[in-house]
Amino acid sequence: MSAPAPNALAVLRHRDFACYLAARLIVTLAMQMVNVAIGWQVYDLTGNMLDLGLVGLAQFAPFLVLILPAGQIADRYDRTRVLQVSFVLQAATALALWLFSAHGLTVVWPVFAVLVLAGCARALAMPAGQAIVMNLVPAADFSRATAISSSSFHAAVIAGPVLGGLLYLAGAAVVYATATALLIASVLLMLRVRASQNTQRTPLSLSGVLEGFRFVRSRPVVLGAISLDLFAVLFGGVTALLPVFARDVLAVGPTGLGLLRTAPAVGAAVTSLLLAAWPITRHAGRWMFGGVALYGIATITFGLSTSLALSVCALALTGAGDMVSVFVRHLLVQLETPDAIRGRVSAVNAVFIGASNELGEFESGLAAAWLGAVRATVIGGAATLLVTGLWTRLFPPLARMDRFPEPVRTLDPAPATPSDLAAEPAR
């Protein structure tokens, strides 16, 4: 890491970025509250661990179908407007869940139906949300803006599950009503954001949609970074199983579930604040692989724990390790990609993220139904460590990467070589 940056928060002087940051924080807070309520409500209704995996699958299926077209939409249209539409859809999701719960929900299929809409909204938001930060701040502030954005995101992830768990004591409908109000506020904030964007009004086409894949394939270092995250979280993620650990292993109830869901975000938030003050500028590859290895070790520890305190600490370490990996990957992808196709490349990145999260939740639920929650979690953490070692051999330029590249301004089909990356000056 570099020397501390005393003006790390100065990036908030950019009004558009500050408004976007506030809107994103509110959306994340609201949806984290919703996720806690859904997890507890579904498991309370059915008692079936596989249903917890289906919660993730219901969101991932539409996400997978729509994410690549959403990337081209993020390049063709104003990204602020795309995010506004997404936030409106998420508000509709919370509103529908509120109405269902207020009238007495006795079956889970309406929840899964609403989660399909949530998956559509998330698919629309992710490419635009990842690409827009470069349009809101100067290039010199981008790494700090990324760290601060991550800090705010994880602050919401910290507060959201705790608040959701507390409000759930008054009923699921109260959680969903509060989330609806917050999501409406986020839409109003996004109306104030203006982004400087290089839009391309080319017709929607399959070739245009796949441009992001072609670009990522031409950059082996980028491909290695995003695929490492995919398989590490796919095998090592435990989010879907937290209701099982909260009720059956640790016996801590919905409030304890909120703490467990918050713990990874605490570790990630603290780490992102450190990265805002001391950005990674050297040995980026080592930092990334080290973060993923920490994630795997902490997952194994959580799976073996029968203590709430140890479980919370282990989950906090998963968040810290994941944050280091995410920080390196996000900077690498955004700096390597010209603005004209940043939405489509961000969509490819989002495919990998979505697969690791929602599909990972389905994998966790399925594995737990077969093996039990504890055994599935331990095996998943071990698989993450195996992937980490394997990727150092499959993508040696990524493991040896020292400094980040300078921002790419124009589309150059020639891939960056390891020597090019090593020769880049520190940012």
Side-chain angles (χ1 to χ4, degrees), residues 23-36 90 94 156-157 160-161 163-164 175-176 178-184 186:
R24 183 170 180 262
L25 186 150
I26 291 172
V27 169
T28 306
L29 179 70
M31 295 312 294
Q32 287 296 317
M33 292 166 53
V34 168
N35 289 339
V36 167
Q90 291 181 75
V157 174
L163 183 58
V175 180
Y176 300 137
T178 305
T180 301
L182 290 172
L183 289 163
I184 292 172
S186 72

Side-chain angles (χ1 to χ4, degrees), residues 67-68 70-72 74-75 79 127-128 131 337-348:
I67 186 62
L68 293 180
Q72 192 169 18
D75 288 334
R79 289 165 186 158
T337 308
D339 190 55
I341 64 166
R342 188 169 289 121
R344 279 164 285 181
V345 174
S346 295
V348 175

Side-chain angles (χ1 to χ4, degrees), residues 401-423:
M401 186 179 69
D402 187 13
R403 303 178 189 273
F404 291 105
E406 289 294 321
V408 174
R409 300 298 181 187
T410 59
L411 183 57
D412 179 4
T417 65
S419 59
D420 293 333
L421 294 173

Side-chain angles (χ1 to χ4, degrees), residues 14 19 23 28 52 70 76 81 86-87 97 140 148 166 224 249 251 324 329 342 349 369 384 386 400 410:
H14 303 293
C19 289
T28 306
L52 296 175
R76 295 181 76 246
R81 300 295 177 260
S86 170
F87 294 170
L97 290 169
I148 291 171
L166 291 174
V249 177
V324 172
R329 186 192 73 238
R342 188 169 289 121
N349 189 32
T384 297
L386 180 63
R400 296 195 301 265
T410 59

